[in-house]
Amino acid sequence: MQTVLFLAALVSLAAAGYPQYHYDVETRKLDPSLLNIQTKVLSLLENWKQVNPDDEYYKIGKEYNVEANMESYTNREVVTEFLSLYKAGFIPKNEVFSIFYENQALEVIALYRLFYYAKDFETFYKTAAFARVWLNEGQFVYAFYLAVIHRADTRGIVLPAPYEIWPEYFMNSDVLSKIYRIQMQKGLIIPEQGPYYGILSKDNAYYFYANYSGPLTYEDNENLLSYFIEDIGWNSYYYYFHNRFPFWENGEQLIGPLKERRGEIYYYVYQKILARYYLERLANGLGEIPRFNWLDKYQTSYYPLLSSYQLPFAQRNDDYYLASGDNINDIQFIDTYEKTFLQLLQKGQFKAYKQEVDLYNSKSINFVGNYWQSNADLYEKVPKRNYWRSYEATARRVLGAAPRSSINYENMNIPTALDFYQTSLRDPAFYQLYAKILDYINEYKEYLEPYSQDVLHYVGVKINDVKVDKLVTYFEYFDWNATNAVYLSEQQLDTVSPSYIVRQPRLNNKPFTVNIDIKSDVESEVVVKIFLGPKYDGNGLPISLEDNWINFIELDWFTHKLTSGQNKIARKSEEFFFFKDDSVSLFKIYELLSNGQVPSYMVDRYIYLPRRLILPRGTQRGFPLQLFVVVYPYQAPVKEWESMRQYIVDNKPFGYPFDRPVTLPYYFNQPNMYFKDVYVYQEGEQYPYYNSYWSQNQVSNH
């Protein structure tokens, strides 16, 4: 029997072959002055868990002295602060780093600011080389990645995808252990047996077939969503969001004048994450996102098969009591924070931190978002805080369910999925926590005046019809490089080491076009938005717009010049504003660099979702959804926001017109609005790779 299984596995993997991926990448010419900078940035991120004494950075970093070069930084205060922490002792090397651990966070923020205020790239590079050699590896990568994104002299530089930098956070430990074993035994001892274990070798590369977690990790059929919540593009999206808008940094420095909308951005991003997740739940028959009470037992278990390079991740059972003795102080803080917000809403005013906010004003969404994120802008008018406590960080700690360390310094903490932006979206508790936060924010929105019929109506413009191509989803293989997960030998560092490639089936959709037929009485420039939302709830009942407005995800946002008469707009899914192509591999980046080019969407559109996740997985009979299309007059963004045009099209709130509750659904039956019923169909195999063990998490046919 075992021989039969072995031969079946061999035939299956051989049939899969070595898929050729479409690398018709949209590129741009890299400024020649940035070519050397780009190469140096990438070199510092290769094999970052270990140092190579023969590399250029090592020789520079080993000798560099920050204190002796204080004049090379534009802010002496940040240098002094860094040196104070550095002399007291940073977290040691080879320890797990998380931005949610207080002491580690204070250290890495000081390091980031040291990078940020280096007066030129040469100083930045030397400082980064110093940190690469002497400081904790995780802190170095976190601060360096952020600094490259935000420094003026590294704009236009491409960074590797998060899953190529932190591969152990994007795959389960069974695949990681296979990679470790091949590296330690220097290859497959019996190559013929490799396919039986999902391993192939070719051209100095090893390919590891990987699937997603099953019922051992997720209970109550949550494993049906593992292909989505463990998707590397989905999790990278969240990591990019944090890197663009780190909660601990002042908004003025991150996004300039757009800081006045930082809280609004916070709400908008999490609304989009939850709306997209909800669609995937409905597609798999799982229904509503569960809600929970901090004083009750938490029923959603999670047994992650993740491991850092030092410790396995903590597990949470399905009978976890949130308000345990270890958590009681945290629960009291959380409860007070929530009740304070509700009391503020009843008063209609916030007056503290040298701020006075009218909570019945629509622009106060900026304050409300900042309140729930507890970001730096919330406290910008008061002296520096001498404690590190926020609702988000505290709630993550409680829900993570990791045993509390009895040692004062945090480097002994057992990691949880909620400790890292790279892994948070894998834990169902993440969605339940942020659904709770959005429920509170929507309480604020209930106090706002709904949009009137006059505001929503566009006189003289009518959408006659909307037609959509057949919507189809499917799974396809994707290869990504996980070599950064292993430690290389001295010989491998100096030569061409083997590549360790994870091959995984991922959700994708066929390109489609939305055809919009508009009749206009006037010539005008307009904004067109396309939303996607559910048609039925988890019980199969139609959802009224009063309850459904929060569940629509915005797909597209663009301007168009209407002519008098009939207008036909054909909008391709490849053009959708909020989506991008998948990141290319580091190998491909180097290949493009040899011709002086870089992938353009990895420069300025890295923060958006992968285009292949536009649609939730379909069903064989068609999963019912609805498109909502709206046309309204174009108002140019204010001049101060011109530098942020990659995020903003017009002057309306993010998510308009679904940025406020809908109290009268017939207001949305305007001539310039159109609801279209659509169906999403699934084609091909549910999971292309499975065997007798992995079939336990195969998506069922329905």
Side-chain angles (χ1 to χ4, degrees):
M1 181 64 182
Q2 188 161 343
T3 303
V4 174
L5 287 174
F6 170 74
L7 291 174
L10 192 64
V11 170
S12 175
L13 293 181
Y18 297 94
Q20 297 297 311
Y21 295 100
H22 182 60
Y23 274 136
D24 185 15
V25 181
E26 182 182 337
T27 63
R28 67 171 58 172
K29 196 75 175 175
L30 184 66
D31 188 323
S33 65
L34 291 177
L35 186 59
N36 183 52
I37 293 176
Q38 177 70 78
T39 304
K40 287 189 172 185
V41 164
L42 294 179
S43 70
L44 283 170
L45 291 171
E46 290 187 36
N47 310 118
W48 58 269
K49 294 194 187 81
Q50 58 191 123
V51 293
N52 184 359
D54 295 330
D55 278 356
E56 176 194 58
Y57 76 82
Y58 182 84
K59 298 164 187 175
I60 294 173
K62 187 178 180 182
E63 301 298 329
Y64 187 72
N65 187 313
V66 173
E67 191 168 12
N69 290 275
M70 289 189 72
E71 300 302 322
S72 296
Y73 302 88
T74 58
N75 188 327
R76 291 179 64 92
E77 184 180 342
V78 301
V79 183
T80 302
E81 183 176 355
F82 169 79
L83 290 172
S84 175
L85 291 169
Y86 178 62
K87 290 175 181 178
F90 266 47
I91 176 180
K93 276 180 169 289
N94 299 311
E95 298 291 348
V96 178
F97 160 76
S98 169
I99 190 61
F100 291 108
Y101 302 158
E102 178 181 351
N103 290 337
Q104 295 182 14
L106 294 174
E107 293 166 1
V108 82
I109 291 169
L111 178 61
Y112 162 78
R113 288 175 177 158
L114 189 71
F115 288 164
Y116 184 83
Y117 287 105
K119 70 176 184 180
D120 51 36
F121 180 78
E122 182 181 359
T123 303
F124 173 41
Y125 178 72
K126 289 178 179 178
T127 311
F130 157 81
R132 177 83 157 77
V133 173
W134 296 109
L135 300 183
N136 175 270
E137 300 87 351
Q139 286 183 319
F140 160 72
V141 173
Y142 177 89
F144 183 70
Y145 207 92
L146 267 169
V148 172
I149 288 174
H150 293 285
R151 279 182 62 90
D153 56 7
T154 49
R155 288 193 187 130
I157 293 298
V158 169
L159 287 162
Y163 47 82
E164 289 202 345
I165 296 177
W166 311 86
E168 62 273 18
Y169 290 161
F170 292 87
M171 61 177 157
N172 287 337
S173 54
D174 65 305
V175 180
L176 188 61
S177 65
K178 292 177 187 178
I179 294 175
Y180 284 164
R181 181 168 181 173
I182 296 297
Q183 169 66 5
M184 287 188 289
Q185 67 188 26
K186 299 180 181 178
L188 284 164
I189 295 177
I190 307 177
E192 295 80 9
Q193 291 186 359
Y196 180 78
Y197 298 101
I199 305 172
L200 297 176
S201 61
K202 182 183 180 182
D203 300 334
N204 200 35
Y206 295 92
Y207 294 79
F208 300 83
Y209 280 75
N211 214 319
Y212 300 96
S213 302
L216 295 177
T217 296
Y218 303 102
E219 295 184 350
D220 300 324
N221 289 324
E222 292 281 346
N223 60 289
L224 295 178
L225 291 174
S226 60
Y227 69 90
F228 177 70
I229 62 178
E230 294 183 0
D231 184 278
I232 60 174
W234 178 243
N235 285 273
S236 294
Y237 167 72
Y238 191 49
Y239 182 73
Y240 283 132
F241 164 67
H242 170 67
N243 277 267
R244 191 66 186 87
F245 305 99
F247 61 86
W248 44 263
E249 188 58 285
N250 182 278
E252 184 71 38
Q253 192 174 82
L254 296 174
I255 49 178
L258 202 59
K259 68 164 287 188
E260 300 304 325
R261 300 182 69 178
R262 182 180 187 172
E264 182 187 355
I265 293 171
Y266 172 84
Y267 172 81
Y268 180 66
V269 169
Y270 281 103
Q271 182 276 328
K272 179 173 289 189
I273 289 174
L274 288 175
R276 182 62 185 84
Y277 170 72
Y278 180 57
L279 291 181
E280 211 68 44
R281 288 186 65 87
L282 293 176
N284 286 276
L286 296 185
E288 309 307 305
I289 301 174
R291 299 306 200 260
F292 68 95
N293 188 306
W294 292 107
L295 300 179
D296 292 339
K297 289 182 179 179
Y298 189 72
Q299 300 297 326
T300 307
S301 63
Y302 181 49
Y303 301 90
L305 300 176
L306 291 170
S307 180
S308 68
Y309 50 88
Q310 187 202 42
L311 294 169
F313 278 41
Q315 301 174 344
R316 182 181 61 245
N317 63 45
D318 60 0
D319 201 25
Y320 171 52
Y321 184 49
L322 294 171
S324 64
D326 286 344
N327 293 337
I328 194 64
N329 289 334
D330 286 339
I331 294 295
Q332 289 174 348
F333 171 78
I334 289 170
D335 184 59
T336 301
Y337 206 85
E338 293 176 348
K339 289 178 177 176
T340 298
F341 182 74
L342 293 178
Q343 290 170 354
L344 291 172
L345 287 183
Q346 291 176 350
K347 293 179 180 178
Q349 188 180 52
F350 172 86
K351 193 172 182 180
Y353 311 138
K354 297 183 179 179
Q355 298 183 61
E356 192 166 336
V357 181
D358 175 10
L359 290 176
Y360 299 157
N361 188 314
S362 63
K363 292 188 180 299
S364 296
I365 181 61
N366 189 55
F367 164 80
V368 172
N370 291 344
Y371 176 90
W372 285 103
Q373 192 180 31
S374 297
N375 58 42
D377 288 353
L378 181 65
Y379 305 98
E380 65 175 342
K381 296 181 180 180
V382 295
K384 188 181 297 184
R385 301 165 70 198
N386 59 358
Y387 64 95
W388 187 268
R389 201 174 195 187
S390 75
Y391 180 90
E392 278 190 332
T394 306
R396 284 170 180 261
R397 182 166 58 248
V398 172
L399 289 170
R404 297 298 175 94
S405 173
S406 60
I407 301 174
N408 289 333
Y409 199 70
E410 294 166 326
N411 62 343
M412 294 303 294
N413 280 356
I414 297 176
T416 75
L418 295 175
D419 286 344
F420 309 97
Y421 282 91
Q422 304 95 310
T423 59
S424 290
L425 299 188
R426 298 169 74 105
D427 188 345
F430 169 89
Y431 305 96
Q432 296 177 27
L433 169 62
Y434 283 90
K436 179 183 282 287
I437 291 176
L438 259 63
D439 284 346
Y440 281 113
I441 298 179
N442 288 332
E443 285 276 342
Y444 148 75
K445 286 178 173 284
E446 291 289 344
Y447 286 90
L448 303 181
E449 183 180 353
Y451 290 119
S452 68
Q453 189 167 0
D454 290 340
V455 170
L456 295 172
H457 182 53
Y458 188 7
V459 178
V461 173
K462 180 183 180 183
I463 302 177
N464 290 321
D465 193 17
V466 173
K467 293 182 179 179
V468 186
D469 294 342
K470 183 179 180 181
L471 303 178
V472 176
T473 59
Y474 60 94
F475 284 93
E476 68 171 1
Y477 281 117
F478 180 78
D479 289 355
W480 58 277
N481 196 311
T483 307
N484 261 336
V486 303
Y487 292 86
L488 302 180
S489 67
E490 184 177 357
Q491 181 181 5
Q492 288 175 327
L493 285 171
D494 293 332
T495 59
V496 179
S497 65
S499 293
Y500 298 101
I501 311 296
V502 175
R503 178 169 290 172
Q504 200 165 26
R506 303 190 309 173
L507 184 68
N508 202 342
N509 56 260
K510 292 183 179 180
F512 60 92
T513 301
V514 178
N515 295 285
I516 308 169
D517 184 359
I518 301 174
K519 182 180 182 300
S520 178
D521 294 339
V522 294
E523 292 187 4
S524 61
E525 188 168 9
V526 299
V527 175
V528 182
K529 284 191 171 189
I530 303 173
F531 294 81
L532 182 68
K535 180 75 174 177
Y536 304 101
D537 65 14
N539 295 316
L541 301 174
I543 315 178
S544 67
L545 199 57
E546 294 104 314
D547 300 320
N548 207 19
W549 65 275
I550 189 64
N551 298 320
F552 279 83
I553 178 172
E554 190 170 355
L555 302 181
D556 201 10
W557 185 16
F558 64 97
T559 60
H560 185 83
K561 290 187 177 180
L562 293 180
T563 59
S564 181
Q566 294 298 124
N567 295 262
K568 295 187 182 297
I569 302 173
R571 188 69 171 178
K572 297 180 179 179
S573 59
E574 298 94 327
E575 301 172 306
F576 283 2
F577 182 80
F578 293 103
F579 297 87
K580 66 175 182 64
D581 290 332
D582 275 301
S583 298
V584 301
S585 66
L586 182 59
F587 176 83
K588 185 67 177 180
I589 293 173
Y590 275 124
E591 182 183 302
L592 294 172
L593 274 178
S594 65
N595 296 317
Q597 296 179 316
V598 291
S600 58
Y601 55 87
M602 290 183 72
V603 175
D604 54 13
R605 297 189 64 79
Y606 60 88
I607 196 171
Y608 292 119
L609 270 171
R611 203 178 314 283
R612 58 185 179 78
L613 294 179
I614 291 175
L615 301 176
R617 187 186 65 81
T619 60
Q620 291 182 347
R621 296 180 180 179
F623 173 52
L625 295 169
Q626 53 184 330
L627 279 180
F628 173 73
V629 180
V630 58
V631 179
Y632 59 86
Y634 172 67
Q635 292 179 337
V638 296
K639 189 174 181 180
E640 290 80 5
W641 298 344
E642 280 296 320
S643 61
M644 309 298 288
R645 287 304 294 266
Q646 69 267 39
Y647 306 118
I648 295 177
V649 172
D650 67 357
N651 208 26
K652 291 287 188 183
F654 292 112
Y656 173 86
F658 289 137
D659 61 304
R660 296 189 193 179
V662 175
T663 55
L664 297 171
Y666 63 84
Y667 279 4
F668 282 74
N669 292 328
Q670 305 286 345
N672 56 305
M673 299 177 178
Y674 200 98
F675 286 92
K676 174 73 175 180
D677 289 349
V678 295
Y679 295 84
V680 184
Y681 298 88
Q682 170 69 18
E683 293 185 355
E685 295 180 87
Q686 303 293 347
Y687 280 130
Y689 171 57
Y690 65 93
N691 56 34
S692 58
Y693 173 77
W694 286 110
S695 61
Q696 62 185 340
N697 70 330
Q698 182 187 9
V699 176
S700 58
N701 293 327
H702 58 289

